Amino acid sequence: MTSSASTPTAPDRNLALELVRVTEAAAIAGARWVGAGDKNRADGAAVDAMRTFMDTVRMNGTVVIGEGEKDEAPMLFNGESVGDGTGPDVDVAVDPIDGTRLTALGYNNALAVFAVAEKGSMYDPSAVFYMEKMVVGPEAADYVDLRLPVAQNITLVAKALNKPVSQVTVCVLERPRHEPLVQEIRDAGARVKFIMDGDVAGAIAAARGAGVDMLLGTGGTPEGIIAACAVKATGGMLQGRLAPIDDAERQKAIDAGHDLDRVLTTSDLVTTDNCYFAATGITDGDLLKGVRFQKDRLITESIVMRAQSGTVRIVEAEHRAEKWDRWLSE
């Protein structure tokens, strides 16, 4: 969808593989620090690589979900202009490493992620950093509702998938705040699969039915908006409700006009279908394999998704290691 050959105003399908090049770069740079115990160096390397490669992408982008206020980031901060400036005007959402702790400790499911959508289409949470989330695949998308009790939603998912509740697997971030939720899930008769960090990967896995049937719990609002771009491509559903962490954040949200009781849908979080999501595995996970180092080669596995066409591509790539000395030789 473009307005003219010279100055398109919306992203087109040619953008997809350009995004993968960016997430590959961030993943390779971050992978250098897998298991090294230093999440800040891992994140810094991934940010540097992502920012460098992002400048080669044919787009006029504005970062709306970036390293952000809570990270005090010098690059990829909210409001920063990215891309080579010649392409479509777009909103950009990035997380150079979704799962910095996973990377530092060598655990599974760390990803480099990048999402793009038509300008003005991504939700502005007004610095409310957390939200309640529920994600399911396309079969259950029209049945569940975040306002319903947990047990009822699990029963509805089981019915939609034509399986007993005992076979429903729910992905949950392992956090003390989720202990009551986990008990509700188990009392309903379903199974829990914990993830340490990185609920973008968990959301996509739930939307695609990749080892889990739904995701529940409170996680990052930026990650929810990024994940919404991917969920749109699957036909699944993400619902969220803002969850301020204190009275000051609550008041800030109210002053910005947010209804804190409102359940936000996938289309509220990203209002256009002309959006893209790309991710590259840093460590092995349910969604993607991590970066593999083989003598003079690096092998990456990525996923790229386009909501408008409903296309999901898995991309395996080989890279000559010598070309990555800048990020691998530190």
Side-chain angles (χ1 to χ4, degrees):
M1 186 171 95
T2 58
S3 61
S4 71
S6 58
T7 56
T9 58
D12 65 26
R13 62 187 179 187
N14 296 321
L15 188 59
L17 288 181
E18 291 194 65
L19 304 190
V20 172
R21 291 178 58 248
V22 175
T23 57
E24 286 172 345
I28 289 170
R32 158 68 178 82
W33 299 98
V34 167
D38 191 335
K39 67 179 186 179
N40 290 329
R41 293 195 77 173
D43 193 49
V47 168
D48 182 25
M50 178 170 273
R51 187 65 180 82
T52 299
F53 275 73
M54 199 175 285
D55 278 343
T56 71
V57 177
R58 188 174 174 274
M59 66 179 183
N60 183 24
T62 301
V63 176
V64 298
I65 301 292
E67 289 292 271
E69 180 179 323
K70 66 178 179 179
D71 297 303
E72 299 180 355
M75 288 187 290
L76 298 178
F77 53 84
N78 293 6
E80 183 176 359
S81 296
V82 294
D84 70 0
T86 66
D89 296 331
V90 294
D91 286 348
V92 172
V94 299
D95 198 343
I97 300 183
D98 181 42
T100 53
R101 186 165 64 118
L102 303 178
T103 301
L105 299 178
Y107 289 136
N108 286 357
N109 289 317
L111 300 174
V113 301
F114 185 10
V116 169
E118 291 183 32
K119 187 173 181 62
S121 63
M122 287 187 183
Y123 182 73
D124 178 5
S126 301
V128 178
F129 293 124
Y130 293 93
M131 69 190 311
E132 298 175 62
K133 300 176 195 174
M134 176 170 60
V135 181
V136 297
E139 298 87 353
D142 295 330
Y143 296 91
V144 295
D145 191 314
L146 190 59
R147 293 165 292 193
L148 296 175
V150 169
Q152 187 174 350
N153 276 321
I154 289 172
T155 299
L156 290 168
V157 168
K159 184 176 180 180
L161 297 178
N162 194 28
K163 62 163 66 169
V165 167
S166 61
Q167 292 180 15
V168 173
T169 302
V170 184
C171 182
V172 180
L173 271 172
E174 189 174 11
R175 298 288 188 274
R177 65 176 178 266
H178 286 150
E179 289 175 6
L181 170 63
V182 168
Q183 192 58 54
E184 285 189 79
I185 294 168
R186 288 173 173 163
D187 287 347
R191 303 182 294 183
V192 175
K193 180 172 183 177
F194 286 112
I195 52 175
M196 284 185 58
D197 290 295
D199 71 349
V200 171
I204 298 169
R208 299 190 73 214
V212 296
D213 301 304
M214 63 190 307
L215 175 139
L216 289 174
T218 301
T221 304
E223 288 83 357
I225 297 167
I226 292 171
C229 291
V231 171
K232 270 183 170 279
T234 70
M237 182 279 304
L238 187 155
Q239 289 184 3
R241 183 162 46 199
L242 295 178
I245 60 173
D246 55 30
D247 289 341
E249 194 173 279
R250 175 177 293 274
Q251 190 59 52
K252 188 173 183 179
I254 292 171
D255 291 344
H258 292 299
D259 177 358
L260 297 178
D261 294 322
R262 179 186 176 192
V263 173
L264 301 162
T265 66
T266 317
S267 292
D268 290 322
L269 296 174
V270 184
T271 59
T272 180
D273 282 341
N274 201 356
C275 61
Y276 299 77
F277 172 88
T280 301
I282 298 172
T283 59
D284 287 343
D286 296 329
L287 188 65
L288 295 166
K289 294 177 183 176
V291 178
R292 284 154 283 164
F293 295 83
Q294 296 185 354
K295 286 189 177 181
D296 60 346
R297 292 178 301 147
L298 307 169
I299 300 175
T300 57
E301 187 173 70
S302 305
I303 188 169
V304 59
M305 311 168 80
R306 185 183 183 217
Q308 193 167 59
S309 61
T311 304
V312 177
R313 291 184 173 90
I314 304 296
V315 180
E316 183 174 275
E318 293 186 5
H319 312 263
R320 289 170 57 189
E322 65 188 63
K323 301 293 185 180
W324 296 89
D325 281 349
R326 171 178 170 180
W327 290 283
L328 299 179
S329 59
E330 293 185 24

